[in-house]
Amino acid sequence: MNISEQELPGLKTLAMQYPSIQAASTAIINLQSELNLLKGTEHFVSDIHGEYATFSHVLKNGSGSIKQAIRDAFGDDLGAPEQHELATLIYYPESKISLVLQNEADAGAWLRQALQRLIRVCREFSSLYTRARIRQLMSAEYAGILEELLYEHESVQSRSAYYQSIYDSIIATRSAQAFVVALAELIQSLAVSRLHVIGDIYDRGPGAHHIMDALINYHSVDIQWGNHDIVWMGAAAGSEACIANVIRIALRYADLETLESGYAVSMLPLASFAMETYGDDPCQRFIPKIAEGQEITEREIKLLAQMQKAIAIIQLKLEGQIVQRRPQYQMADRLQLDKIDHARGTVTIGDGVYALLDTNFPTVDPNDPYALSPQEQRVVDKLRLSFTDSTSLQKHVRFLFSRGGMYLVHNGNLMYHGCVAMNADGSFKAFEVAGEAYAGKAFVDRVERLARQGYFSAAGSAEKAYGMDAMWYLWCGAQSPLFGKEKMATFERYFVAEKELHAEGRNAYYDLRNEEAAARKILQEFGVDPDRGRIINGHVPVKVRKGESPIKANGKLLVIDGGFSKAYRKETGLSGYTLIYSAHSLQLVAHQPFESIDKCLEGGAQSAGDIQCLETVATPLRVLDTDEGKGLQQEIVVLQRLLEAYRAGFIKER
C-alpha cells in the first residue's frame, strides 16, 4: 500500500482529530450510517419584504409539515380540534400554555399529556437525523432528559416505571412548562432541515431587521440576494445612491421601523432639511402609500411627503453622477435633471417634450443639475455615517455576504432571485466589464465578486468605489440579474403623467422562462443536469387572480413569489408561496393571509394553505442522494486512507 509524500501531511493533520484506528473506524461507521438516513426536508421562500409575522408563522408551522406529522403520529386517536390544539402548542408554546392554564383545573395532568404528545410528534422528525445532530439542536439545559424520553424503550416493561418517574419529576419540580417550550422549539427546528431564502428580505414591510435576526439564529440557512437586499448591502457599504434609494422607499411606504428602530439611523437631518427646503411645497406627488390599519396623522403624512421629495431629488442627482462616471453601464437615458426646461415646466424624454407634474426644484442648479447643494451634501454625509456606523446593520449585511450569493446550486436545484439576462433569440446577453465581455453564468459570477469588492475593499480605494457603483447597478441596471427590467422609471413616475413612460419593460428572460428549452439552457449554463434539475425563481409576483401559474417551462422553472408583502396581495390573491422538498415529494404551498397569533391560538384554524404536489419519488431519497451525501462520501474515502496509513505504519496511533 502506498501513501504519497503529497498525501501524508494532510493525513497527519487528520490524525490529530482521529488519533487511533478505533477513532477513525468509528467515524467511518457513523458516516456510512448517516448516508442511509432519509433526506432532510428543504424549505424555499422568496420575497418576504419585511413581513416578519407572516414569515415567522410559516417557519413555525413548517408550511404545514408539522400538522402532517401530528396526523401521522396520532391518526384517528386525536380529532381535528385536538390536533389543532397540539399544533398551536408547537407553534407558540409559551402563549398557548398561558392561555390553556388560565382555565385548566389540573395543570399537572395537562402538562404531562402535552409532553407525551410532543415526544410522539418529535419522533416523526427524529428519524431524519443522527442522534448527534438532534443533540446539537436541543436546548443544552434539557438535552439529557429530552434524549432519554425521545429514545424511550416503550416495549420494555422493566423501564416503564423509570420513564414515568421522569415525567413525575418534571411535573414535581415545576419544570414542565420549560420542557414543553424546549420540545416545541426542537420540533420546529427538525421540521426544516435547511431553509433557502430566494431574495428580497427588505423593504415595504416593517420587520426586515427581525427577519434577519431570525435567520442569523436559524440552524441551517442560505440566501440568494434579491435587488431589495443588494441596495441595503450597498447602503451598508457606504454607497450614497443606495442609501438614498433605501430611505426613499421607506418613506414611500410610510415605514421607518427598520431604519430607525432596527438600525438606529436618524432621520432628523433629512426631516430638518425637508421642512426648511420644501416647507411651502404640498409635495402631492410624494404622498406616501398608507397600508390598511396603519395609523398616521395628516401632519405626519405631510412631513413624510416632504422628506420623500427631498431624498428623491438627492437620489436622482447621485444616480446621475454614477451614470456619468460609468458610461459602460449604458444608462444615459436615466439622466433627466439636465433635460428639464425650468422656465416652461417641461422635460424632454426621448423625442418627446412632456409637462411636469411638479416644477418646484429649489436645489437643482440648471447649470450643474447633478451637483448636491451644500445643505444636501451635509444631509448625505450624516446619513452615510448613520449607515456605516450601525452595528446591527453591519452585522446583518455581513451575514448576507457570508451565507448568501447571487445564486446557489443545491441538490439539483438552481436558485436565484431575478433572472439570467437573455436576448429575444434565447442567447445570453453579453455585458462588458473592464473591457471584457461577460454573459450568462460568467456575468453573474463577475458581478457577485464586484459586490463583495464594494463592501470589503479598503475605505476610499478605487476598488471599493467601483464595487459600490456595481451594487447600485445590480439594484436598478438594465442587465442586472437581480433587477431584470429595462429601466427603473423613478423620475417618470413622480413627475410625468403619461403612463407609457412609467412602463419599465422586462428582459426577454421573463417571456423565455415559459419555454422548457430556455430553462434547460440556463440549467446547463450553471452546470445542472437539465433532465433532473429545476430552477427556483422569485422577484416577480405570480398574479394568481389573473390566471398565472407559478409552474413554468413544463415544470423546469418554479416561481415562488406569491405575495408575502401586503403591497402585492391584491395582485396575487395569496400571502406567499413556499416550496417543500422532502425525501418523498416536491410540494408547492400557497399560503393564506396570517391574521394574528391570537386568532391562531383561539382556535381559528390558520390553514397552512393549498398544497400542490409537483412530484413524488418512487424510492424515497436518502442522504446518499444529496450534495451533503457526496461530501460525506469524500470524508469516508479520506478516513479510509487514514486507516490504511495507520495499519501500514506511516502514522503512529496516539
Side-chain angles (χ1 to χ4, degrees):
M1 175 245 161
N2 292 318
I3 298 290
S4 69
E5 290 295 326
Q6 293 80 13
E7 191 178 8
L8 194 57
L11 293 177
K12 286 182 176 179
T13 300
L14 188 63
M16 296 175 68
Q17 185 177 354
Y18 303 100
S20 67
I21 289 174
Q22 185 59 53
S25 299
T26 300
I28 291 172
I29 293 167
N30 287 335
L31 292 174
Q32 289 281 14
S33 300
E34 189 172 348
L35 287 172
N36 288 293
L37 290 173
L38 290 178
K39 169 193 173 299
T41 302
E42 300 172 65
H43 281 222
F44 305 76
V45 299
S46 179
D47 297 84
I48 306 163
H49 283 301
E51 297 293 345
Y52 173 69
T54 300
F55 172 70
S56 177
H57 186 66
V58 167
L59 279 193
K60 288 178 182 296
N61 68 46
S63 295
S65 60
I66 287 175
K67 276 199 170 180
Q68 182 59 54
I70 291 171
R71 287 192 289 270
D72 293 342
F74 292 96
D76 296 332
D77 293 344
L78 292 182
E82 289 176 297
Q83 289 189 18
H84 179 72
E85 288 293 301
L86 182 54
T88 55
L89 177 63
I90 295 171
Y91 308 159
Y92 303 103
E94 292 165 321
S95 300
K96 187 68 174 183
I97 291 169
S98 177
L99 183 66
V100 170
L101 294 188
Q102 289 176 13
N103 303 306
E104 183 60 51
D106 191 343
W110 184 86
L111 287 166
R112 177 191 290 268
Q113 182 185 68
L115 283 168
Q116 292 171 334
R117 286 178 173 178
L118 290 173
I119 287 291
R120 286 181 66 176
V121 176
C122 198
R123 287 177 187 153
E124 291 294 317
F125 293 108
S126 64
S127 62
L128 300 174
Y129 301 87
T130 63
R131 285 198 181 193
R133 179 57 179 151
I134 293 173
R135 199 176 300 120
Q136 289 175 346
L137 294 173
M138 284 179 177
S139 171
E141 190 175 357
Y142 309 110
I145 296 172
L146 288 179
E147 197 166 2
E148 283 288 317
L149 295 174
L150 190 57
Y151 299 107
E152 172 186 340
H153 298 285
E154 294 175 316
S155 60
V156 181
Q157 287 289 333
S158 61
R159 292 182 65 85
S160 177
Y162 168 71
Y163 293 119
Q164 290 307 314
S165 71
I166 294 177
Y167 287 113
D168 291 341
S169 297
I170 290 172
I171 302 298
T173 58
R174 299 182 182 178
S175 304
Q177 294 188 33
F179 273 91
V180 167
V181 172
L183 264 173
E185 291 176 349
L186 176 60
I187 291 168
Q188 290 179 28
S189 297
L190 295 175
V192 180
S193 65
R194 182 157 178 170
L195 175 66
H196 305 286
V197 181
I198 320 293
D200 277 3
I201 295 163
Y202 283 89
D203 291 334
R204 297 196 174 93
H209 54 298
H210 294 308
I211 294 168
M212 287 302 304
D213 283 335
L215 293 177
I216 286 174
N217 293 316
Y218 208 70
H219 59 90
S220 181
V221 64
D222 55 71
I223 301 164
Q224 288 68 65
W225 304 331
N227 56 319
H228 285 272
D229 303 319
I230 201 72
V231 72
W232 277 85
M233 294 158 71
S239 164
E240 294 175 352
C242 289
I243 288 169
N245 272 281
V246 162
I247 294 172
R248 181 185 61 81
I249 293 168
L251 292 165
R252 184 167 177 77
Y253 288 89
D255 193 350
L256 299 175
E257 175 73 16
T258 297
L259 276 170
E260 294 186 324
S261 300
Y263 297 138
V265 173
S266 174
M267 291 289 100
L268 186 58
L270 178 62
S272 299
F273 169 75
M275 287 188 290
E276 179 182 341
T277 308
Y278 299 98
D280 297 327
D281 188 334
C283 298
Q284 285 297 317
R285 300 295 302 164
F286 298 87
I287 298 299
K289 298 176 182 288
I290 309 299
E292 185 179 344
Q294 194 173 7
E295 296 181 2
I296 189 166
T297 67
E298 288 298 321
R299 185 175 180 180
E300 289 170 330
I301 290 173
K302 181 179 179 181
L303 177 58
L304 290 172
Q306 292 169 339
M307 292 169 68
Q308 188 186 160
K309 181 172 182 179
I311 200 67
I313 298 300
I314 289 172
Q315 174 191 316
L316 292 168
K317 290 182 176 184
L318 293 169
E319 291 180 335
Q321 293 173 20
I322 295 176
V323 171
Q324 290 175 324
R325 68 174 171 260
R326 309 291 182 198
Q328 67 269 32
Y329 290 174
Q330 302 174 41
M331 295 177 68
D333 65 314
R334 297 296 86 211
L335 296 172
Q336 288 126 339
L337 294 181
D338 60 318
K339 310 298 191 303
I340 294 173
D341 185 327
H342 292 270
R344 297 175 59 192
T346 61
V347 62
T348 300
I349 299 176
D351 297 328
V353 177
Y354 303 89
L356 290 166
L357 297 171
D358 183 331
T359 59
N360 184 32
F361 299 98
T363 69
V364 177
D365 179 355
N367 297 316
D368 193 3
Y370 298 104
L372 296 179
S373 70
Q375 295 89 344
E376 287 174 325
Q377 188 64 62
R378 282 195 291 272
V379 170
V380 169
D381 290 343
K382 290 177 181 178
L383 290 171
R384 185 179 65 252
L385 282 175
S386 285
F387 275 81
T388 56
D389 289 351
S390 172
T391 303
S392 52
L393 174 60
Q394 297 302 325
K395 175 185 176 182
H396 289 171
V397 168
R398 281 183 174 272
F399 183 77
L400 287 171
F401 276 109
S402 67
R403 294 293 185 90
M406 293 288 292
Y407 67 92
L408 178 69
V409 175
H410 186 75
N411 289 342
N413 295 312
L414 169 61
M415 295 166 266
Y416 54 79
H417 176 73
C419 70
V420 180
M422 304 182 84
N423 296 304
D425 63 2
S427 60
F428 294 117
K429 200 165 188 177
F431 188 82
E432 192 170 293
V433 181
E436 186 174 350
Y438 294 84
K441 180 179 180 294
F443 180 57
V444 180
D445 288 337
R446 175 61 177 162
V447 292
E448 177 171 331
R449 290 196 298 273
L450 287 176
R452 295 183 186 278
Q453 174 181 308
Y455 186 80
F456 290 105
S457 293
S461 66
E463 291 79 12
K464 187 174 183 70
Y466 192 89
M468 286 195 298
D469 285 354
M471 293 168 89
W472 171 81
Y473 180 87
L474 284 171
W475 157 242
C476 63
Q479 288 178 229
S480 163
L482 301 183
F483 182 53
K485 296 182 182 180
E486 295 172 2
K487 66 180 180 181
M488 187 172 285
T490 306
F491 179 91
E492 292 91 336
R493 293 188 174 195
Y494 277 130
F495 295 107
V496 181
E498 283 74 9
K499 294 289 186 182
E500 64 270 20
L501 297 180
H502 298 184
E504 296 178 326
R506 296 197 299 190
N507 183 263
Y509 166 87
Y510 290 99
D511 291 324
L512 292 168
R513 71 177 181 176
N514 293 303
E515 300 175 9
E516 184 177 352
R520 294 176 68 90
K521 181 173 184 175
I522 293 169
L523 288 167
Q524 286 180 309
E525 173 73 3
F526 284 82
V528 182
D529 181 352
D531 292 327
R532 299 180 59 192
R534 61 183 68 80
I535 297 166
I536 302 173
N537 202 182
H539 189 46
V540 178
V542 179
K543 298 176 182 177
V544 177
R545 285 182 171 169
K546 294 185 177 180
E548 288 188 5
S549 170
I551 305 168
K552 314 278 186 187
N554 197 24
K556 285 292 170 188
L557 191 150
L558 307 173
V559 183
I560 60 168
D561 180 1
F564 265 97
S565 172
K566 292 176 183 176
Y568 291 140
R569 289 179 192 170
K570 289 182 179 179
E571 295 182 28
T572 64
L574 299 172
S575 184
Y577 282 118
T578 50
L579 189 68
I580 306 172
Y581 184 28
S582 72
H584 304 280
S585 64
L586 182 71
Q587 296 179 323
L588 187 68
V589 183
H591 295 275
Q592 300 306 312
F594 173 66
E595 295 181 55
S596 70
I597 295 173
D598 288 341
K599 290 266 189 181
C600 182
L601 294 176
E602 289 169 3
Q606 294 285 328
S607 170
D610 298 323
I611 298 176
Q612 181 177 1
C613 187
L614 305 178
E615 181 181 311
T616 56
V617 182
T619 303
L621 297 172
R622 300 193 176 272
V623 173
L624 179 68
D625 304 311
T626 68
D627 292 347
E628 179 189 1
K630 293 174 185 175
L632 294 178
Q633 288 174 297
Q634 290 173 355
E635 287 185 50
I636 290 170
V637 169
V638 175
L639 283 167
Q640 287 171 336
R641 293 293 286 169
L642 177 61
L643 270 183
E644 292 169 3
Y646 276 133
R647 288 168 174 158
F650 286 93
I651 299 175
K652 294 180 181 179
E653 289 186 286
R654 288 187 292 111

